Amino acid sequence: MKSSRPYLVRALYEWIVDNDCTPHLLVNAEFAGVQVPSGFASDGQIVLNVSPTAVRHLHMDNEAVSFEGRFAGVPQRLYVPAAAVLAIYARENGQGMVFDSESSMLDAGEIDDPDDLGPPEGEPPRPSGRPSLKVVK
């Protein structure tokens, strides 16, 4: 099954813009294929303002987000594979979505079958058959 991440990023982008807010992407700048200006990332991550007034030629598809933006007054072409997007949110109120690191591994194709992962450490294996849910507080 295809990753839901690029679909969610596009939908949330539209929702944020429709509500007159400024969409920001949190990106893993060290992910393979990411093209962002060097020197602007911190701790391997970069926050990008992708509002219609801040970028040109914005293109979002199932593989990547690409656009032209200015950094220190210099136009740059940016390319962000969908799996490198860690979050999309509105600058004004923080509403949006954070993607977990497990799904970025799955999106990158590093794990072929999530069932091969097994249970988390310290947790007994689940019997096959009925799914189980756990209340998280």
Side-chain angles (χ1 to χ4, degrees):
M1 185 173 238
K2 292 181 182 180
S3 170
S4 61
R5 184 180 307 226
Y7 298 93
L8 294 169
V9 169
R10 289 193 303 268
L12 287 165
Y13 175 86
E14 291 295 327
W15 175 69
I16 292 167
V17 170
D18 285 352
N19 283 285
D20 297 320
C21 291
T22 309
H24 281 195
L25 293 178
L26 175 63
V27 174
N28 176 353
E30 297 172 345
F31 193 89
V34 170
Q35 296 173 4
V36 295
S38 59
F40 290 92
S42 175
D43 295 327
Q45 298 179 346
I46 187 169
V47 176
L48 303 171
N49 176 349
V50 289
S51 72
T53 58
V55 302
R56 293 178 43 180
H57 307 295
L58 177 66
H59 180 74
M60 295 181 174
D61 61 24
N62 291 347
E63 280 72 47
V65 176
S66 61
F67 58 93
E68 291 177 10
R70 294 177 90 67
F71 289 81
V74 178
Q76 305 265 344
R77 184 83 182 141
L78 288 85
Y79 182 85
V80 178
V85 176
L86 301 174
I88 181 167
Y89 62 93
R91 178 186 65 197
E92 291 78 3
N93 58 21
Q95 290 190 355
M97 180 177 283
V98 176
F99 300 101
D100 63 8
S101 59
E102 286 180 350
S103 52
S104 65
M105 288 191 309
L106 293 172
D107 292 345
E110 294 174 13
I111 299 171
D112 293 331
D113 186 0
D115 292 336
D116 292 343
L117 291 174
E121 229 175 274
E123 199 174 294
R126 248 186 14 212
S128 59
R130 285 183 57 183
S132 63
L133 298 175
K134 172 169 93 172
V135 176
V136 179
K137 293 184 181 188

